[in-house]
Amino acid sequence: MEIKKVGVVGCGLMGGGIAQTCAQSGYQVTVSEINDDLLSKGLAAIRKRLAKSVEKGKLAKEEEESIAGRLKGTTNTGDFADCDIVVEAAVENLELKKKIFADIDGICRPGIVLATNTSCLSITEIAVATKRPDKVIGTHFFNPVPVMKLLEVVTTIVSSQVTLDTVKAFGESLGKNVIVAKDTPAFIVNRILTPMMLEAIRLYEAGVATREDIDTGITLGLNHPMGPLTLADFVGLDTMYFITEAMYEETKDPKFAAPLLLRRMVKAGHLGRKTGKGFYDYQ
Ligand code: 3HC
């Protein structure tokens, strides 16, 4: 089935980035939020990024307008009825995601693919909350979505080959390199990345080195664009904590246990860039 119209559930950091990327790739996009306030914040963040690209001379003014014209915000999931694919990017909560999938399953045409951007939850558990588990798949994007070239597609023992082929072609149409993983805790990238970030936090917590030296070690020693503590602030410490808890819960492997410092920072609301304070200060 040809994809013309994309639905995106959630217009936060990831959902907004996915919606923007789809609109930039020529798709009509309907993006939803749970209330008008979050929706206007999400849409304003997209418009700000587009305006910045125009300012930098990377995007023509007319192109900015046509991208914005392809984006429609809603607080009513009923508006997904005419979408050809829906990508869910709500908060990382399994019960919530199951509820969203059961809801959109009843709204969307039976033939279309329902994808989740979860970074760590079981796609199979989400799939079986619908009457179309063969058409449910993981599409794990990376932050910032319009910039990052990767899409990690996650298959399950119940997803079909047609679903995989559809989503691979969709990802490539967004200009992404697609990699495929099975439904296992944190898939490929976060499975490798998380232990590294946790180890960086443990080193910092133990006073082995300063945050700057830990980050410089990785940026200059391994040529990463950001050190692990800066990256943790960038991703959000609540998200990181959630990923590590989910991995630990599924595997009981102590290497995924959240360091005490991470727990305390999340409790204190030091979530990284989005709250102005994490391992570094952004005030
Ligand atoms: N949204 C959209 N575009 C953004 C952006 C954002 N939040 N932040 C930066 N950009 C764009 C800029 O506009 C710029 O675009 P241009 O080249 O067209 O002008 C480009 O990215 C480069 O930005 P800057 O020059 O301002 O800054 P940098 O060169 O430092 O790049 C970065 C910023 C791309 C974020 C780079 O630091 C980077 O690659 N960092 C690592 C990102 C990373 O590892 N992401 C994965 C996180 S893990 C994840 O997402 C999985 C999840 O499950 C946790």
Side-chain angles (χ1 to χ4, degrees):
M1 181 207 298
E2 197 193 349
I3 296 176
K4 287 190 179 151
K5 188 162 183 188
V6 181
V8 180
V9 181
C11 197
L13 196 62
M14 297 305 286
I18 295 167
Q20 178 186 339
T21 304
C22 291
Q24 281 181 329
S25 304
Y27 293 106
Q28 293 292 330
V29 179
T30 298
V31 58
S32 73
E33 255 305 344
I34 49 172
N35 59 46
D36 288 330
D37 184 39
L38 286 175
L39 184 63
S40 23
K41 278 190 184 137
L43 292 173
I46 298 175
R47 280 196 290 268
K48 196 170 158 196
R49 289 196 292 269
L50 292 174
K52 207 166 166 195
S53 297
V54 173
E55 232 173 72
K56 284 186 186 168
K58 305 236 167 171
L59 189 70
K61 187 74 194 152
E62 312 78 69
E63 188 57 11
E64 179 197 17
E65 276 154 23
S66 57
I67 294 166
R70 286 194 285 275
L71 268 168
K72 181 188 155 204
T74 184
T75 52
N76 174 14
T77 46
D79 288 346
F80 291 134
D82 60 349
C83 287
D84 305 311
I85 186 168
V86 175
V87 181
E88 170 274 327
V91 293
E92 292 280 39
N93 175 313
L94 185 59
E95 289 316 308
L96 174 72
K97 285 190 194 278
K98 281 161 65 174
K99 208 166 153 287
I100 291 171
F101 271 75
D103 176 36
I104 55 177
D105 186 38
I107 290 164
C108 296
R109 293 195 306 277
I112 75 154
V113 171
L114 305 180
T116 172
N117 181 58
T118 184
S119 51
C120 59
L121 294 171
S122 163
I123 316 288
T124 312
E125 283 202 53
I126 296 169
V128 297
T130 72
K131 295 192 177 73
R132 64 179 96 191
D134 59 312
K135 295 190 179 65
V136 175
I137 198 159
T139 47
H140 182 215
F141 289 84
F142 292 82
N143 178 36
V145 182
V147 179
M148 300 297 280
K149 291 280 168 237
L150 186 70
L151 174 64
E152 189 175 34
V153 171
V154 187
T155 61
T156 75
I157 51 171
V158 287
S159 57
S160 72
Q161 185 63 42
V162 180
T163 302
L164 173 60
D165 293 343
T166 304
V167 164
K168 273 168 102 174
F170 174 61
E172 280 158 12
S173 76
L174 301 178
K176 306 297 181 198
N177 280 297
V178 178
I179 58 173
V180 181
K182 289 186 177 140
D183 184 20
T184 47
F187 326 128
I188 303 171
V189 179
N190 281 346
R191 180 74 173 254
I192 296 170
L193 173 69
T194 308
M196 186 190 75
M197 288 164 85
L198 294 179
E199 210 49 41
I201 297 170
R202 288 186 195 110
L203 284 181
Y204 178 57
E205 190 176 30
V208 171
T210 61
R211 57 193 181 177
E212 289 82 3
D213 280 359
I214 293 167
D215 277 349
T216 303
I218 298 302
T219 50
L220 299 187
L222 297 176
N223 242 359
H224 287 199
M226 286 174 164
L229 298 175
T230 303
L231 184 58
D233 280 355
F234 181 71
V235 167
L237 300 194
D238 50 344
T239 303
M240 260 216 72
Y241 180 63
F242 190 84
I243 294 173
T244 175
E245 285 284 283
M247 290 169 84
Y248 183 72
E249 180 60 32
E250 283 244 52
T251 62
K252 300 287 184 281
D253 185 333
K255 77 167 176 260
F256 299 126
L260 198 60
L261 177 61
L262 179 61
R263 285 173 196 276
R264 295 290 187 264
M265 288 176 79
V266 171
K267 273 273 178 279
H270 296 176
L271 307 182
R273 281 196 198 192
K274 62 181 161 191
T275 57
K277 191 166 172 51
F279 289 102
Y280 295 88
D281 244 308
Y282 303 91
Q283 308 286 358

